[in-house]
Amino acid sequence: MTLRVYNTLKREVEAFVPIRGKKVGLYVCGITPYDASHLGHARCYVTWDVFRRYLEFSGFDVTHIQNFTDVDDKIIHRANELKRNPSDLAQEYIDAYFEEFDQLNVKRAHQYPKVTAHIPEIIVLVKKLIQNGFAYENKGDVFFEVKKCADYGKLSRQSVDDLVKGKRIEPSENKKNPEDFALWKAAKPGEPSWESPWGKGRPGWHIECSVMSSKYLGEQFDAHGGGQDLIFPHHENEIAQSESASGKKPFVKYWLHNGFVTVKQDKMAKSLGNFLTVREALAKHSPETLRFFLISTHYRQPLDFNENALLQAKQAWGSLENALERMEEAVEEIAGNGKEEVKRKNSFSGAVDPKVEELVLGFTRAMDDDVNTPLAIALLFQLRDYAFKLLEQHAQNPDEDTKSSLVQCRTALSRLLDVLGFKPVQKELSIPVEEIRRLVEEREEARKQRDFGRADKIRRQLRERGVELEDQKDGSVRWKAIQ
Ligand SMILES: [Zn+2]
Protein backbone atom coordinates (compact mmCIF):
# COMPACT_ATOMS: atom_id res chain seq x y z
CA MET A 1 0.00 0.00 0.00
CA THR A 2 1.16 3.52 -0.65
CA LEU A 3 0.26 6.76 1.02
CA ARG A 4 -3.25 8.04 0.37
CA VAL A 5 -4.46 11.46 1.46
CA TYR A 6 -7.74 13.35 1.52
CA ASN A 7 -7.52 16.05 -1.13
CA THR A 8 -9.92 18.90 -0.36
CA LEU A 9 -9.88 19.90 -4.04
CA LYS A 10 -11.35 16.53 -5.08
CA ARG A 11 -13.23 15.83 -1.83
CA GLU A 12 -11.81 12.32 -1.77
CA VAL A 13 -8.94 10.21 -0.54
CA GLU A 14 -6.46 9.53 -3.32
CA ALA A 15 -2.98 8.10 -3.86
CA PHE A 16 -0.20 10.56 -3.09
CA VAL A 17 1.96 10.71 -6.23
CA PRO A 18 4.32 13.69 -6.26
CA ILE A 19 4.94 15.61 -9.49
CA ARG A 20 8.72 15.04 -9.44
CA GLY A 21 9.22 11.44 -8.32
CA LYS A 22 10.56 11.26 -4.78
CA LYS A 23 10.83 15.04 -4.38
CA VAL A 24 7.94 16.64 -2.50
CA GLY A 25 7.22 20.36 -2.23
CA LEU A 26 5.16 21.14 0.90
CA TYR A 27 3.86 24.61 1.67
CA VAL A 28 2.15 25.37 4.98
CA CYS A 29 0.51 28.73 5.72
CA GLY A 30 2.30 30.17 8.73
CA ILE A 31 1.17 32.46 11.52
CA THR A 32 0.33 36.13 11.49
CA PRO A 33 2.59 37.18 14.35
CA TYR A 34 0.39 39.64 16.27
CA ASP A 35 -0.43 37.58 19.36
CA ALA A 36 0.53 34.36 21.17
CA SER A 37 0.03 31.05 19.33
CA HIS A 38 -2.76 28.90 20.77
CA LEU A 39 -3.60 25.20 20.65
CA GLY A 40 -5.32 25.62 17.27
CA HIS A 41 -1.95 26.67 15.81
CA ALA A 42 -0.20 23.86 17.66
CA ARG A 43 -2.57 21.33 16.11
CA CYS A 44 -1.94 22.68 12.63
CA TYR A 45 1.86 22.71 12.81
CA VAL A 46 2.12 19.39 14.66
CA THR A 47 -0.21 17.79 12.07
CA TRP A 48 1.94 18.93 9.13
CA ASP A 49 5.09 18.04 11.04
CA VAL A 50 3.85 14.44 11.40
CA PHE A 51 2.89 14.42 7.71
CA ARG A 52 6.37 15.62 6.73
CA ARG A 53 8.07 13.14 9.07
CA TYR A 54 6.04 10.29 7.62
CA LEU A 55 6.90 11.35 4.06
CA GLU A 56 10.58 11.36 5.03
CA PHE A 57 10.22 7.97 6.72
CA SER A 58 8.63 6.69 3.49
CA GLY A 59 11.67 7.80 1.47
CA PHE A 60 10.47 11.14 0.09
CA ASP A 61 12.76 14.14 -0.06
CA VAL A 62 10.62 16.95 1.33
CA THR A 63 11.14 20.69 0.92
CA HIS A 64 8.95 22.39 3.50
CA ILE A 65 8.21 26.11 3.21
CA GLN A 66 6.23 28.06 5.79
CA ASN A 67 5.63 31.79 5.69
CA PHE A 68 5.21 34.53 8.26
CA THR A 69 2.54 37.12 7.43
CA ASP A 70 4.53 39.91 9.00
CA VAL A 71 2.48 42.81 7.63
CA ASP A 72 -1.28 42.66 8.11
CA ASP A 73 -4.24 44.66 9.48
CA LYS A 74 -4.16 42.69 12.73
CA ILE A 75 -0.48 43.45 13.36
CA ILE A 76 -0.99 47.12 12.55
CA HIS A 77 -4.04 47.43 14.86
CA ARG A 78 -2.31 45.61 17.68
CA ALA A 79 0.87 47.69 17.33
CA ASN A 80 -1.19 50.89 17.35
CA GLU A 81 -3.04 49.73 20.47
CA LEU A 82 0.25 48.99 22.22
CA LYS A 83 1.95 52.07 20.70
CA ARG A 84 4.67 49.82 19.28
CA ASN A 85 6.47 49.46 16.01
CA PRO A 86 4.60 46.80 13.95
CA SER A 87 7.77 45.09 12.74
CA ASP A 88 9.18 44.83 16.29
CA LEU A 89 5.90 43.36 17.46
CA ALA A 90 5.88 40.83 14.61
CA GLN A 91 9.49 39.81 15.31
CA GLU A 92 8.70 39.27 18.98
CA TYR A 93 5.93 36.80 18.10
CA ILE A 94 8.08 35.12 15.45
CA ASP A 95 10.76 34.53 18.11
CA ALA A 96 8.10 33.15 20.46
CA TYR A 97 6.84 30.86 17.68
CA PHE A 98 10.28 29.27 17.26
CA GLU A 99 10.78 28.90 20.99
CA GLU A 100 7.43 27.17 21.48
CA PHE A 101 7.42 24.98 18.38
CA ASP A 102 11.02 23.88 18.94
CA GLN A 103 9.85 22.64 22.33
CA LEU A 104 7.04 20.76 20.63
CA ASN A 105 9.74 19.17 18.44
CA VAL A 106 8.19 20.51 15.21
CA LYS A 107 10.90 20.22 12.56
CA ARG A 108 11.98 23.55 11.22
CA ALA A 109 10.85 24.35 7.68
CA HIS A 110 13.60 24.77 5.06
CA GLN A 111 12.63 28.41 4.60
CA TYR A 112 10.44 30.86 6.51
CA PRO A 113 9.78 33.62 3.95
CA LYS A 114 8.32 36.89 5.22
CA VAL A 115 6.04 39.23 3.29
CA THR A 116 8.20 42.27 4.01
CA ALA A 117 11.18 40.54 2.36
CA HIS A 118 9.20 39.74 -0.83
CA ILE A 119 7.59 43.05 -1.82
CA PRO A 120 9.37 43.28 -5.23
CA GLU A 121 8.22 39.75 -6.19
CA ILE A 122 4.69 40.54 -5.01
CA ILE A 123 4.62 43.65 -7.23
CA VAL A 124 5.79 41.55 -10.21
CA LEU A 125 2.95 39.06 -9.72
CA VAL A 126 0.29 41.79 -9.29
CA LYS A 127 1.56 43.45 -12.52
CA LYS A 128 1.34 40.13 -14.32
CA LEU A 129 -2.26 39.62 -13.19
CA ILE A 130 -3.16 43.09 -14.49
CA GLN A 131 -1.42 42.34 -17.82
CA ASN A 132 -3.22 39.00 -18.13
CA GLY A 133 -6.54 40.78 -17.63
CA PHE A 134 -7.42 39.26 -14.25
CA ALA A 135 -6.85 42.34 -12.10
CA TYR A 136 -7.49 46.10 -12.18
CA GLU A 137 -6.27 49.18 -10.35
CA ASN A 138 -8.50 51.85 -8.85
CA LYS A 139 -7.25 54.78 -6.75
CA GLY A 140 -4.09 53.01 -5.67
CA ASP A 141 -5.89 49.73 -4.79
CA VAL A 142 -5.51 46.68 -7.02
CA PHE A 143 -8.22 43.99 -7.07
CA PHE A 144 -8.48 40.53 -8.52
CA GLU A 145 -11.59 40.37 -10.71
CA VAL A 146 -13.21 37.12 -9.65
CA LYS A 147 -15.59 36.93 -12.67
CA LYS A 148 -12.58 36.63 -14.99
CA CYS A 149 -11.57 33.38 -13.37
CA ALA A 150 -13.96 30.76 -14.78
CA ASP A 151 -13.35 28.06 -12.18
CA TYR A 152 -13.27 30.33 -9.12
CA GLY A 153 -14.83 28.52 -6.15
CA LYS A 154 -13.59 25.05 -7.08
CA LEU A 155 -11.79 24.48 -3.77
CA SER A 156 -14.50 25.74 -1.42
CA ARG A 157 -17.28 24.55 -3.77
CA GLN A 158 -19.26 27.76 -3.84
CA SER A 159 -20.42 30.00 -6.65
CA VAL A 160 -19.82 33.73 -6.84
CA ASP A 161 -23.55 34.23 -6.14
CA ASP A 162 -23.26 32.21 -2.93
CA LEU A 163 -20.38 34.42 -1.82
CA VAL A 164 -22.22 37.66 -2.45
CA LYS A 165 -25.41 36.40 -0.81
CA GLY A 166 -23.46 34.97 2.13
CA LYS A 167 -21.62 38.32 2.47
CA ARG A 168 -18.33 36.44 2.86
CA ILE A 169 -16.57 39.36 1.28
CA GLU A 170 -14.69 42.43 2.35
CA PRO A 171 -16.50 45.65 1.30
CA SER A 172 -14.64 48.42 -0.56
CA GLU A 173 -15.97 51.31 -2.63
CA ASN A 174 -13.07 50.94 -5.06
CA LYS A 175 -14.13 47.45 -6.18
CA LYS A 176 -15.95 46.86 -9.48
CA ASN A 177 -17.78 43.88 -8.07
CA PRO A 178 -18.44 42.92 -4.44
CA GLU A 179 -16.71 39.52 -4.79
CA ASP A 180 -13.38 40.96 -6.00
CA PHE A 181 -10.51 40.79 -3.53
CA ALA A 182 -7.49 43.01 -2.84
CA LEU A 183 -4.05 42.22 -4.25
CA TRP A 184 -2.58 45.57 -3.27
CA LYS A 185 -3.94 48.13 -0.81
CA ALA A 186 -3.27 51.87 -1.13
CA ALA A 187 -1.40 53.23 1.89
CA LYS A 188 -3.38 54.70 4.76
CA PRO A 189 -1.82 57.27 7.09
CA GLY A 190 0.32 55.72 9.83
CA GLU A 191 0.60 52.30 8.16
CA PRO A 192 3.72 50.63 6.81
CA SER A 193 3.87 51.04 3.03
CA TRP A 194 6.10 50.44 0.01
CA GLU A 195 6.50 52.20 -3.35
CA SER A 196 4.73 50.50 -6.25
CA PRO A 197 3.54 51.29 -9.81
CA TRP A 198 0.15 52.14 -8.17
CA GLY A 199 1.58 54.48 -5.56
CA LYS A 200 2.49 53.72 -1.97
CA GLY A 201 0.78 50.72 -0.47
CA ARG A 202 1.06 47.21 0.88
CA PRO A 203 0.06 43.73 -0.30
CA GLY A 204 -3.35 42.13 0.34
CA TRP A 205 -3.23 38.95 2.42
CA HIS A 206 -3.52 36.18 -0.19
CA ILE A 207 -0.93 37.28 -2.75
CA GLU A 208 2.05 36.50 -0.49
CA CYS A 209 1.41 32.75 -0.46
CA SER A 210 1.12 32.61 -4.26
CA VAL A 211 4.42 34.49 -4.55
CA MET A 212 6.41 32.71 -1.85
CA SER A 213 5.24 29.17 -2.67
CA SER A 214 6.14 29.51 -6.37
CA LYS A 215 9.46 31.19 -5.56
CA TYR A 216 10.63 28.29 -3.40
CA LEU A 217 8.66 25.33 -4.80
CA GLY A 218 7.87 26.23 -8.42
CA GLU A 219 4.64 27.32 -10.15
CA GLN A 220 3.19 23.86 -9.55
CA PHE A 221 3.92 21.79 -6.48
CA ASP A 222 2.65 18.83 -4.51
CA ALA A 223 1.09 19.62 -1.17
CA HIS A 224 -0.37 22.68 0.53
CA GLY A 225 -1.40 22.36 4.15
CA GLY A 226 -3.32 24.57 6.54
CA GLY A 227 -6.32 24.76 8.85
CA GLN A 228 -9.82 24.20 7.42
CA ASP A 229 -10.61 27.86 8.10
CA LEU A 230 -8.17 28.79 5.31
CA ILE A 231 -10.08 26.95 2.54
CA PHE A 232 -12.06 30.12 1.93
CA PRO A 233 -11.13 32.77 1.12
CA HIS A 234 -7.37 32.33 1.51
CA HIS A 235 -6.65 29.12 -0.41
CA GLU A 236 -9.40 29.71 -2.96
CA ASN A 237 -7.77 33.06 -3.74
CA GLU A 238 -4.26 31.57 -3.84
CA ILE A 239 -5.46 29.18 -6.56
CA ALA A 240 -7.15 31.99 -8.55
CA GLN A 241 -4.03 34.19 -8.40
CA SER A 242 -1.46 31.50 -9.15
CA GLU A 243 -3.32 29.72 -11.96
CA SER A 244 -4.35 33.02 -13.60
CA ALA A 245 -0.75 34.28 -13.49
CA SER A 246 1.04 31.14 -14.68
CA GLY A 247 -1.69 29.60 -16.83
CA LYS A 248 -0.70 26.24 -15.32
CA LYS A 249 -3.19 23.97 -13.55
CA PRO A 250 -3.27 22.65 -10.96
CA PHE A 251 -1.25 25.14 -8.93
CA VAL A 252 -1.22 22.57 -6.11
CA LYS A 253 -1.85 18.85 -6.59
CA TYR A 254 -3.01 18.00 -3.04
CA TRP A 255 -4.85 20.48 -0.81
CA LEU A 256 -4.70 19.23 2.78
CA HIS A 257 -6.62 20.69 5.70
CA ASN A 258 -6.63 19.95 9.40
CA GLY A 259 -9.68 20.30 11.64
CA PHE A 260 -10.20 22.76 14.47
CA VAL A 261 -9.46 22.47 18.13
CA THR A 262 -12.80 22.97 19.86
CA VAL A 263 -13.80 23.87 23.38
CA LYS A 264 -17.23 22.47 24.23
CA GLN A 265 -17.96 22.23 20.49
CA ASP A 266 -16.94 25.83 19.69
CA LYS A 267 -13.87 26.49 17.58
CA MET A 268 -10.90 27.64 19.66
CA ALA A 269 -10.15 31.12 18.35
CA LYS A 270 -8.74 34.39 19.46
CA SER A 271 -11.93 36.16 18.41
CA LEU A 272 -13.99 33.91 20.73
CA GLY A 273 -11.63 34.38 23.67
CA ASN A 274 -11.75 30.65 24.53
CA PHE A 275 -8.17 29.80 23.72
CA LEU A 276 -5.27 28.31 25.63
CA THR A 277 -1.90 29.56 24.44
CA VAL A 278 0.89 27.13 23.59
CA ARG A 279 2.98 28.79 26.26
CA GLU A 280 0.31 28.24 28.94
CA ALA A 281 -0.13 24.63 27.85
CA LEU A 282 3.64 24.01 27.97
CA ALA A 283 3.83 25.48 31.45
CA LYS A 284 1.36 22.84 32.66
CA HIS A 285 2.19 19.84 30.48
CA SER A 286 5.23 18.25 28.88
CA PRO A 287 5.70 18.81 25.12
CA GLU A 288 5.18 15.05 24.61
CA THR A 289 1.85 15.07 26.46
CA LEU A 290 0.70 17.98 24.34
CA ARG A 291 1.83 16.34 21.10
CA PHE A 292 0.18 13.08 22.12
CA PHE A 293 -3.09 14.92 22.76
CA LEU A 294 -2.87 16.78 19.43
CA ILE A 295 -2.39 13.65 17.31
CA SER A 296 -4.61 11.29 19.28
CA THR A 297 -7.56 12.31 17.07
CA HIS A 298 -7.48 12.02 13.26
CA TYR A 299 -6.25 15.32 11.84
CA ARG A 300 -9.42 16.08 9.89
CA GLN A 301 -11.77 15.57 12.86
CA PRO A 302 -12.49 18.28 15.40
CA LEU A 303 -10.33 17.86 18.50
CA ASP A 304 -12.10 18.78 21.70
CA PHE A 305 -9.87 20.32 24.30
CA ASN A 306 -10.39 19.65 28.00
CA GLU A 307 -8.11 18.97 30.94
CA ASN A 308 -9.27 15.38 31.22
CA ALA A 309 -8.19 14.64 27.65
CA LEU A 310 -4.75 16.05 28.46
CA LEU A 311 -4.56 13.92 31.58
CA GLN A 312 -5.32 10.82 29.51
CA ALA A 313 -2.64 11.85 27.01
CA LYS A 314 -0.16 12.23 29.87
CA GLN A 315 -0.87 8.72 31.16
CA ALA A 316 -0.76 7.16 27.71
CA TRP A 317 2.52 8.82 26.78
CA GLY A 318 3.98 7.94 30.20
CA SER A 319 3.25 4.26 29.66
CA LEU A 320 4.93 4.24 26.23
CA GLU A 321 7.92 6.11 27.58
CA ASN A 322 8.19 3.70 30.48
CA ALA A 323 8.14 0.70 28.14
CA LEU A 324 10.86 2.27 26.04
CA GLU A 325 13.00 3.01 29.09
CA ARG A 326 12.70 -0.55 30.34
CA MET A 327 13.64 -1.88 26.93
CA GLU A 328 16.61 0.50 26.75
CA GLU A 329 17.77 -0.89 30.06
CA ALA A 330 17.40 -4.48 28.93
CA VAL A 331 19.20 -3.78 25.65
CA GLU A 332 21.93 -1.99 27.58
CA GLU A 333 22.31 -5.06 29.71
CA ILE A 334 22.41 -7.37 26.68
CA ALA A 335 25.03 -5.08 25.11
CA GLY A 336 27.02 -5.10 28.35
CA ASN A 337 27.12 -8.89 28.25
CA GLY A 338 29.46 -8.87 25.30
CA LYS A 339 27.19 -7.85 22.46
CA GLU A 340 28.53 -4.35 21.92
CA GLU A 341 27.47 -4.46 18.28
CA VAL A 342 23.83 -4.47 19.41
CA LYS A 343 24.15 -1.04 20.86
CA ARG A 344 26.39 0.32 18.17
CA LYS A 345 24.32 -0.71 15.19
CA ASN A 346 21.02 -0.10 16.94
CA SER A 347 19.85 -3.32 15.33
CA PHE A 348 20.27 -7.02 15.68
CA SER A 349 21.52 -9.45 13.14
CA GLY A 350 19.39 -12.38 14.36
CA ALA A 351 16.21 -13.69 12.73
CA VAL A 352 13.46 -11.13 12.11
CA ASP A 353 10.76 -11.26 14.76
CA PRO A 354 7.48 -11.76 12.83
CA LYS A 355 5.40 -10.09 15.55
CA VAL A 356 7.50 -6.91 15.47
CA GLU A 357 7.40 -6.95 11.68
CA GLU A 358 3.62 -7.33 11.66
CA LEU A 359 3.13 -4.42 14.08
CA VAL A 360 5.49 -2.13 12.15
CA LEU A 361 3.59 -3.00 8.97
CA GLY A 362 0.31 -2.23 10.74
CA PHE A 363 1.69 1.16 11.75
CA THR A 364 2.70 2.05 8.18
CA ARG A 365 -0.68 0.85 6.86
CA ALA A 366 -2.43 3.14 9.34
CA MET A 367 -0.26 6.10 8.38
CA ASP A 368 -0.67 5.35 4.68
CA ASP A 369 -4.42 5.57 5.18
CA ASP A 370 -4.69 9.37 5.23
CA VAL A 371 -2.28 9.67 8.17
CA ASN A 372 -4.44 7.76 10.64
CA THR A 373 -2.49 8.64 13.78
CA PRO A 374 -5.03 7.24 16.31
CA LEU A 375 -4.72 3.80 14.69
CA ALA A 376 -0.92 4.15 14.41
CA ILE A 377 -0.80 4.95 18.14
CA ALA A 378 -2.94 1.89 18.91
CA LEU A 379 -0.30 -0.20 17.11
CA LEU A 380 2.40 1.35 19.30
CA PHE A 381 0.49 0.15 22.35
CA GLN A 382 0.48 -3.35 20.92
CA LEU A 383 4.23 -3.03 20.48
CA ARG A 384 4.46 -1.94 24.12
CA ASP A 385 2.43 -4.96 25.28
CA TYR A 386 4.67 -7.25 23.27
CA ALA A 387 7.73 -5.56 24.79
CA PHE A 388 6.47 -6.27 28.31
CA LYS A 389 5.92 -9.90 27.38
CA LEU A 390 9.49 -10.10 26.06
CA LEU A 391 10.89 -8.42 29.16
CA GLU A 392 9.17 -11.00 31.31
CA GLN A 393 10.50 -13.84 29.16
CA HIS A 394 13.96 -12.31 29.24
CA ALA A 395 13.90 -12.13 33.06
CA GLN A 396 13.02 -15.84 33.27
CA ASN A 397 15.05 -17.22 30.42
CA PRO A 398 17.43 -14.79 28.68
CA ASP A 399 17.90 -16.84 25.49
CA GLU A 400 19.26 -15.46 22.22
CA ASP A 401 15.85 -15.32 20.48
CA THR A 402 14.30 -13.26 23.25
CA LYS A 403 17.29 -10.92 23.26
CA SER A 404 17.05 -10.51 19.51
CA SER A 405 13.30 -9.82 19.70
CA LEU A 406 13.80 -7.33 22.51
CA VAL A 407 16.37 -5.38 20.53
CA GLN A 408 14.12 -5.36 17.47
CA CYS A 409 11.11 -4.32 19.51
CA ARG A 410 13.05 -1.48 21.14
CA THR A 411 14.41 -0.27 17.79
CA ALA A 412 10.95 -0.39 16.20
CA LEU A 413 9.23 1.46 19.04
CA SER A 414 11.83 4.21 19.21
CA ARG A 415 11.87 4.61 15.40
CA LEU A 416 8.08 4.80 15.13
CA LEU A 417 7.84 7.25 18.03
CA ASP A 418 10.30 9.40 16.12
CA VAL A 419 8.03 9.27 13.04
CA LEU A 420 5.26 10.75 15.19
CA GLY A 421 7.71 13.38 16.45
CA PHE A 422 8.19 12.10 19.98
CA LYS A 423 11.55 12.63 21.50
CA PRO A 424 11.83 10.20 24.38
CA VAL A 425 13.75 11.81 27.21
CA GLN A 426 17.38 10.94 26.72
CA LYS A 427 18.75 11.04 30.20
CA GLU A 428 22.44 11.82 30.22
CA LEU A 429 24.39 9.67 32.65
CA SER A 430 27.12 11.36 34.62
CA ILE A 431 28.61 7.96 35.48
CA PRO A 432 29.86 5.22 33.14
CA VAL A 433 27.63 2.15 32.88
CA GLU A 434 30.59 -0.07 33.85
CA GLU A 435 30.95 1.79 37.12
CA ILE A 436 27.23 1.46 37.84
CA ARG A 437 27.51 -2.30 37.33
CA ARG A 438 30.56 -2.49 39.57
CA LEU A 439 28.78 -0.55 42.34
CA VAL A 440 25.65 -2.68 41.99
CA GLU A 441 27.79 -5.81 42.45
CA GLU A 442 29.60 -4.26 45.39
CA ARG A 443 26.24 -3.48 46.98
CA GLU A 444 25.06 -7.05 46.37
CA GLU A 445 28.19 -8.30 48.08
CA ALA A 446 27.62 -5.96 51.04
CA ARG A 447 24.04 -7.17 51.37
CA LYS A 448 25.16 -10.80 51.33
CA GLN A 449 27.55 -9.94 54.18
CA ARG A 450 24.59 -8.22 55.91
CA ASP A 451 26.52 -4.93 55.81
CA PHE A 452 23.37 -2.88 55.17
CA GLY A 453 25.09 0.38 56.09
CA ARG A 454 27.52 -0.08 53.23
CA ALA A 455 24.71 -1.20 50.84
CA ASP A 456 22.64 1.89 51.64
CA LYS A 457 25.66 4.12 51.20
CA ILE A 458 26.21 2.79 47.68
CA ARG A 459 22.53 3.32 46.84
CA ARG A 460 22.79 6.95 48.06
CA GLN A 461 26.01 7.53 46.12
CA LEU A 462 24.38 6.30 42.94
CA ARG A 463 21.28 8.43 43.52
CA GLU A 464 23.46 11.51 43.93
CA ARG A 465 24.93 10.72 40.52
CA GLY A 466 21.51 10.35 38.88
CA VAL A 467 20.98 6.60 39.09
CA GLU A 468 18.13 4.99 41.01
CA LEU A 469 18.28 1.33 42.04
CA GLU A 470 15.14 -0.79 42.12
CA ASP A 471 15.24 -4.10 43.99
CA GLN A 472 13.07 -6.64 42.20
CA LYS A 473 10.90 -9.30 43.80
CA ASP A 474 13.07 -12.02 42.29
CA GLY A 475 16.11 -10.63 44.09
CA SER A 476 17.66 -8.98 41.05
CA VAL A 477 18.42 -5.26 40.90
CA ARG A 478 17.37 -2.87 38.14
CA TRP A 479 18.73 0.62 37.71
CA LYS A 480 17.38 3.63 35.87
CA ALA A 481 18.55 7.14 35.17
CA ILE A 482 16.74 9.85 37.10
CA GLN A 483 16.73 13.58 36.45
ZN1 LIG B 1 -1.17 31.20 3.08
Side-chain angles (χ1 to χ4, degrees), residues 27-30 67 205 208-209 224 230 234-235 238:
Y27 187 91
V28 179
C29 288
N67 65 312
W205 172 27
E208 66 185 75
C209 287
H224 193 313
L230 295 184
H234 187 51
H235 291 164
E238 274 188 47

Short mmCIF file of all heavy atoms in Angstrom, two decimals, residues 27-30 67 205 208-209 224 230 234-235 238, ligand 1:
data_model
loop_
_atom_site.label_atom_id
_atom_site.label_comp_id
_atom_site.label_asym_id
_atom_site.label_seq_id
_atom_site.Cartn_x
_atom_site.Cartn_y
_atom_site.Cartn_z
N TYR A 27 4.01 23.24 1.19
CA TYR A 27 3.86 24.61 1.67
C TYR A 27 2.80 24.63 2.77
O TYR A 27 1.71 24.05 2.59
CB TYR A 27 3.44 25.53 0.52
CG TYR A 27 3.43 27.00 0.88
CD1 TYR A 27 4.57 27.79 0.68
CD2 TYR A 27 2.30 27.61 1.41
CE1 TYR A 27 4.56 29.15 1.01
CE2 TYR A 27 2.29 28.96 1.74
CZ TYR A 27 3.42 29.72 1.53
OH TYR A 27 3.42 31.06 1.86
N VAL A 28 3.12 25.26 3.88
CA VAL A 28 2.15 25.37 4.98
C VAL A 28 2.00 26.86 5.31
O VAL A 28 2.99 27.56 5.46
CB VAL A 28 2.63 24.59 6.23
CG1 VAL A 28 1.63 24.75 7.38
CG2 VAL A 28 2.84 23.11 5.91
N CYS A 29 0.74 27.31 5.38
CA CYS A 29 0.51 28.73 5.72
C CYS A 29 0.91 28.95 7.17
O CYS A 29 0.44 28.25 8.08
CB CYS A 29 -0.96 29.10 5.54
SG CYS A 29 -1.40 29.20 3.80
N GLY A 30 1.78 29.92 7.38
CA GLY A 30 2.30 30.17 8.73
C GLY A 30 1.45 31.17 9.50
O GLY A 30 0.37 31.57 9.05
N ASN A 67 5.43 30.34 5.68
CA ASN A 67 5.63 31.79 5.69
C ASN A 67 5.30 32.43 7.03
O ASN A 67 4.71 31.80 7.90
CB ASN A 67 4.75 32.42 4.61
CG ASN A 67 3.28 32.25 4.92
OD1 ASN A 67 2.83 31.15 5.23
ND2 ASN A 67 2.53 33.32 4.85
N TRP A 205 -3.71 40.12 1.69
CA TRP A 205 -3.23 38.95 2.42
C TRP A 205 -2.82 37.79 1.51
O TRP A 205 -1.76 37.20 1.68
CB TRP A 205 -4.32 38.50 3.41
CG TRP A 205 -4.07 37.20 4.10
CD1 TRP A 205 -2.84 36.65 4.38
CD2 TRP A 205 -5.04 36.30 4.61
NE1 TRP A 205 -3.00 35.45 5.04
CE2 TRP A 205 -4.34 35.22 5.19
CE3 TRP A 205 -6.44 36.30 4.64
CZ2 TRP A 205 -5.00 34.15 5.80
CZ3 TRP A 205 -7.09 35.25 5.26
CH2 TRP A 205 -6.37 34.18 5.82
N GLU A 208 0.73 36.94 -0.99
CA GLU A 208 2.05 36.50 -0.49
C GLU A 208 2.27 35.00 -0.66
O GLU A 208 3.36 34.56 -1.00
CB GLU A 208 2.21 36.88 0.99
CG GLU A 208 1.24 36.12 1.89
CD GLU A 208 1.29 36.56 3.35
OE1 GLU A 208 0.75 37.65 3.62
OE2 GLU A 208 1.85 35.84 4.18
N CYS A 209 1.21 34.20 -0.41
CA CYS A 209 1.41 32.75 -0.46
C CYS A 209 1.57 32.27 -1.90
O CYS A 209 2.32 31.32 -2.14
CB CYS A 209 0.29 32.03 0.26
SG CYS A 209 0.43 32.22 2.06
N HIS A 224 -0.17 21.41 -0.17
CA HIS A 224 -0.37 22.68 0.53
C HIS A 224 -1.23 22.39 1.74
O HIS A 224 -2.35 21.90 1.60
CB HIS A 224 -1.05 23.67 -0.42
CG HIS A 224 -1.02 25.09 0.06
ND1 HIS A 224 -1.34 25.45 1.35
CD2 HIS A 224 -0.70 26.24 -0.57
CE1 HIS A 224 -1.23 26.76 1.47
NE2 HIS A 224 -0.83 27.28 0.33
N LEU A 230 -8.86 28.09 6.40
CA LEU A 230 -8.17 28.79 5.31
C LEU A 230 -8.69 28.41 3.92
O LEU A 230 -8.31 29.02 2.93
CB LEU A 230 -6.66 28.52 5.38
CG LEU A 230 -5.93 29.06 6.61
CD1 LEU A 230 -4.44 28.80 6.51
CD2 LEU A 230 -6.19 30.56 6.81
N HIS A 234 -8.81 32.26 1.76
CA HIS A 234 -7.37 32.33 1.51
C HIS A 234 -6.89 31.36 0.42
O HIS A 234 -6.26 31.78 -0.56
CB HIS A 234 -6.60 32.10 2.82
CG HIS A 234 -5.13 32.31 2.72
ND1 HIS A 234 -4.59 33.46 2.18
CD2 HIS A 234 -4.09 31.53 3.06
CE1 HIS A 234 -3.27 33.36 2.22
NE2 HIS A 234 -2.93 32.20 2.74
N HIS A 235 -7.18 30.08 0.57
CA HIS A 235 -6.65 29.12 -0.41
C HIS A 235 -7.36 29.20 -1.75
O HIS A 235 -6.76 29.01 -2.80
CB HIS A 235 -6.70 27.70 0.18
CG HIS A 235 -5.73 27.52 1.31
ND1 HIS A 235 -5.79 26.48 2.20
CD2 HIS A 235 -4.65 28.27 1.70
CE1 HIS A 235 -4.81 26.59 3.09
NE2 HIS A 235 -4.11 27.68 2.81
N GLU A 238 -5.62 31.97 -3.41
CA GLU A 238 -4.26 31.57 -3.84
C GLU A 238 -4.34 30.85 -5.19
O GLU A 238 -3.55 31.11 -6.09
CB GLU A 238 -3.64 30.60 -2.82
CG GLU A 238 -2.93 31.28 -1.67
CD GLU A 238 -2.18 30.24 -0.82
OE1 GLU A 238 -1.48 29.39 -1.38
OE2 GLU A 238 -2.33 30.27 0.41
ZN ZN B 1 -1.17 31.20 3.08
#
